[in-house]
Amino acid sequence: MKKVRNPHDLYFKETMSKLPNAKSFLESYLPKSIAEQLDIESLMIEKDSFISKDMEEYYSDMIYQVTLKKGGTGYVYVLMEHKSYQDSWVSMQLLEYMVQCWKKAREEYLAKRKKEREAQSEQEEDEEEIEQEEREREVFHLPIVIPIVLYHGKTEWRWGSNMKHLFDCDAEMQKFIPDFSYMLYDLTKIEDKDIWGIVTLQLMMKLFKYIRSKEFQEKLRRTLESVSKEIPPGDAKDILISMIIYIMSATQIESKELNEIIKQNFDKGDQLMISTADRIRQEGEIKGRIEGRIEGRIEGRIEGEIKAIVSILEIRFGARGLHRMKQIQQISDLEKLKQIFQHVRTAPDIETFEKRLDECLE
């Protein structure tokens, strides 16, 4: 059975799949001695999967390829893994990725050589061809993979930055342990003043840092106060909707309270929350479309409609609106839910909505 990716992973992937955020992270957090060797502007997301389809839901990685400014193989891979919990196996997981990256590089090289050989004259002597191939093999090098772990669990990371803790052996036997280190960014230890980068990157990292805090609402309020004027107007809606979906999925904050915090920092906060409900509804429909069975398609769309209705009910009418939710959650008629969704958006007051709801339930 596939593991359902948690909201932290989803928000991480959505944020870090945008190249400006990834570039900003590398520029802000890589050691200068490493960053200055990379042409950050050449960064691109590695589209090929290095993990088999039956395992991909267990990982929250982002893999990038970036050109070296000079020397080496010409490029390196940057592997970013996100962890919202303690995971003693992360080094083994990273090693698996690294080996897959190297296998891909080797296969590409061999395919290139094969194509070159086929293009050579058929009159060329076999011995000369083999000798030439051996010479070219000598200059081929695997690309460097820079593994990075971004962690924001409840407690400080306790697994170091290599594989040694996974083995029980003396110093003499340790030479057989794969020798690599990953770069760890533990948000439980990073001060707010040391969280850098463009505004969307800072927003993600501060949310990760405080998402489990008892003071989350106050931290969120302060974070939004500090970033609200820096968010590009053209990107604000998508950025904030992603943020709202993440917060609603990862915390117990009431939609009404979240709406108030957003309204304090952004114009048209109510519209943002309603747009978020629309996005949830659309995602439910998308989920339904990609399911393999008719039942799955319908269930996905029903789930999306109900989530959207809940969000708007709480935003518009507070607790008074939510006391009818038990009735709504029992509805399995998709068309009826769509009617209720429109009513909750357009009813001028709770009394009018309840009257229209009763008519739908008759």
Side-chain angles (χ1 to χ4, degrees), residues 5-20:
R5 184 167 289 156
N6 66 44
H8 312 291
D9 291 341
L10 292 171
Y11 187 47
F12 169 79
K13 293 212 74 165
E14 184 169 357
T15 302
M16 299 308 294
S17 63
K18 296 178 173 60
L19 281 178

Side-chain angles (χ1 to χ4, degrees), residues 40-77:
I40 301 297
E41 289 305 311
S42 72
L43 187 78
M44 59 183 180
I45 296 171
E46 178 58 60
K47 297 295 185 183
D48 295 331
S49 174
F50 296 104
I51 297 298
S52 60
K53 292 295 182 182
D54 62 330
M55 291 297 290
E56 63 183 1
E57 291 296 328
Y58 283 83
Y59 299 100
S60 57
D61 71 294
M62 289 298 300
I63 301 178
Y64 310 93
Q65 184 174 307
V66 58
T67 302
L68 288 166
K69 289 182 177 177
K70 58 181 180 179
T73 60
Y75 68 92
V76 300
Y77 287 117

Side-chain angles (χ1 to χ4, degrees), residues 116-311:
E116 290 173 351
R117 287 198 304 272
E118 290 173 350
Q120 289 175 349
S121 170
E122 294 182 0
Q123 304 301 318
E124 186 177 21
E125 294 293 330
D126 289 346
E127 291 80 6
E128 183 180 346
E129 181 180 351
I130 293 171
E131 182 180 347
Q132 182 182 354
E133 182 178 349
E134 289 303 319
R135 287 199 303 270
E136 295 197 15
R137 282 181 186 273
E138 291 177 3
V139 300
F140 173 72
H141 296 94
L142 292 170
I144 296 294
V145 180
I146 303 174
I148 298 171
V149 174
L150 178 64
Y151 167 73
H152 66 103
K154 295 180 180 179
T155 57
E156 183 178 327
W157 185 255
R158 61 175 183 268
W159 304 111
S161 58
N162 55 48
M163 298 190 72
K164 290 183 178 179
H165 69 277
L166 294 177
F167 299 86
D168 182 16
C169 61
D170 59 24
E172 186 63 24
M173 298 294 285
Q174 284 187 4
K175 62 186 178 183
F176 302 112
I177 298 174
D179 185 14
F180 77 96
S181 296
Y182 54 87
M183 302 180 68
L184 174 69
Y185 297 94
D186 183 352
L187 286 171
T188 68
K189 298 171 64 177
I190 297 178
E191 300 290 337
D192 280 4
K193 64 181 178 61
D194 296 321
I195 293 179
W196 307 317
I198 62 176
V199 63
T200 47
L201 179 65
Q202 289 187 44
L203 180 61
M204 180 193 76
M205 295 183 74
K206 287 181 179 179
L207 287 177
F208 279 170
K209 180 176 180 181
Y210 292 114
I211 197 71
R212 295 185 178 91
S213 169
K214 294 179 180 178
E215 303 173 341
F216 174 68
Q217 290 189 39
E218 182 57 31
K219 296 293 186 181
L220 175 62
R221 195 186 313 274
R222 292 182 183 179
T223 296
L224 294 183
E225 285 175 0
S226 68
V227 305
S228 60
K229 293 181 174 59
E230 299 179 43
I231 295 179
D235 300 332
K237 183 176 179 180
D238 285 341
I239 291 170
L240 293 171
I241 286 177
S242 295
M243 178 198 75
I244 293 167
I245 291 175
Y246 170 54
I247 292 171
M248 291 174 66
S249 301
T251 73
Q252 298 299 316
I253 189 171
E254 300 288 343
S255 296
K256 186 176 181 180
E257 294 173 351
L258 180 56
N259 187 39
E260 287 302 314
I261 294 173
I262 292 170
K263 283 169 60 179
Q264 290 171 10
N265 294 282
F266 299 96
D267 294 333
K268 301 181 180 179
D270 289 335
Q271 284 80 0
L272 274 172
M273 294 294 285
I274 291 174
S275 295
T276 302
D278 276 328
R279 172 82 68 83
I280 293 171
R281 180 171 175 251
Q282 291 164 9
E283 288 176 353
E285 292 186 355
I286 292 170
K287 175 185 174 183
R289 291 192 192 109
I290 64 175
E291 291 286 347
R293 298 180 301 161
I294 294 296
E295 294 90 339
R297 290 200 297 270
I298 295 174
E299 287 174 7
R301 297 177 69 182
I302 287 173
E303 181 183 353
E305 291 286 347
I306 291 175
K307 284 183 178 179
I309 291 169
V310 172
S311 298

